Amino acid sequence: MFATKCLAQQCFKMAKLQSFKSAKVCVPSVRCYGSIYEPEYLDLLKPDIPEYEEVNIQIKGYDFAILESFQKLVHTIAENMDLEVSDGWALPPQTINVKRLVPNSENVEAQYTLNVYERNIQVVDIPTTKLSLLIEVIEDSLPAGVKASIHKHTDEHEILKYIPDNELKTLKNQLEEMGGSKKKK
């Protein structure tokens, strides 16, 4: 009775998944024991897990060596979880000037220049079940002074990836001021 009930449930799931018009098509194929081939309907019975298309893992920190090491660790963890790391890139450092003032005055006691380094890792087609685990592992292994954020990939990230060539821009502006480029036919 139990086997008949399970077979009926499988047929019902197949009919629902494949949107068959009649349940007569739902007869499972004869399976040879000792064969390495499995019926096709077993793949259809697996639950569909939603996936994120492109996810960026952005890490920022003041120490370049620690940030590079942590980027390598995150990349290795993602690959060990069978996630596809499609891209990784560095952005130029942001410079921050910090001034320490003498108490109760406007005089500068000390002045510091800090560099904030940024690294990005892009993971593609990540299942939601694995994303939560990846976030936990990143949070637990986060070194001191490093900040991590995870967000969807947008066009702004793609634009920030490429550093503009100022020299090329000035040459193009000079060419346009001189009358533009002349194309020969």
Side-chain angles (χ1 to χ4, degrees):
M1 167 111 179
F2 180 74
T4 310
K5 184 178 180 182
C6 288
L7 184 61
Q9 287 176 347
Q10 287 179 353
C11 288
F12 180 71
K13 286 181 182 178
M14 273 185 36
K16 188 167 79 172
L17 289 173
Q18 296 177 352
S19 67
F20 289 145
K21 293 183 179 176
S22 67
K24 293 179 183 177
V25 179
C26 187
V27 177
S29 61
V30 177
R31 183 170 152 162
C32 299
Y33 296 102
S35 172
I36 60 170
Y37 300 107
E38 294 184 355
E40 298 128 7
Y41 64 86
L42 289 179
D43 292 334
L44 297 173
L45 296 177
K46 290 182 182 177
D48 289 334
I49 299 173
E51 293 182 342
Y52 289 103
E53 291 178 9
E54 293 179 334
V55 175
N56 286 351
I57 303 168
Q58 179 184 52
I59 52 177
K60 292 183 178 184
Y62 297 106
D63 193 355
F64 179 77
I66 291 175
L67 197 66
E68 285 286 319
S69 175
F70 187 63
Q71 179 188 10
K72 181 180 176 184
L73 176 72
V74 171
H75 192 277
T76 305
I77 289 170
E79 286 182 341
N80 287 340
M81 292 178 69
D82 293 329
L83 300 174
E84 183 182 345
V85 178
S86 67
D87 200 5
W89 66 92
L91 291 179
Q94 296 175 351
T95 304
I96 300 172
N97 292 323
V98 179
K99 296 177 184 177
R100 191 171 70 191
L101 302 175
V102 176
N104 300 325
S105 72
E106 294 181 8
N107 297 335
V108 177
E109 183 178 345
Q111 185 171 357
Y112 304 102
T113 303
L114 301 175
N115 290 327
V116 179
Y117 299 98
E118 181 180 338
R119 300 290 177 267
N120 291 291
I121 302 162
Q122 187 176 51
V123 183
V124 181
D125 298 332
I126 179 169
T128 55
T129 54
K130 289 188 178 182
L131 181 62
S132 61
L133 291 173
L134 181 65
I135 291 171
E136 267 188 59
V137 171
I138 290 173
E139 284 178 349
D140 291 343
S141 61
L142 201 63
V146 176
K147 298 176 186 175
S149 64
I150 299 173
H151 39 78
K152 287 187 175 183
H153 185 71
T154 61
D155 293 335
E156 295 172 4
H157 299 117
E158 195 69 31
I159 292 170
L160 290 175
K161 239 167 129 170
Y162 304 106
I163 301 169
D165 190 0
N166 292 330
E167 190 175 327
L168 182 64
K169 285 183 180 179
T170 56
L171 289 174
K172 284 184 180 180
N173 289 338
Q174 288 177 359
L175 183 64
E176 287 179 9
E177 289 174 4
M178 294 171 66
S181 61
K182 297 179 181 177
K183 295 182 181 180
K184 297 179 181 179
K185 291 185 180 180

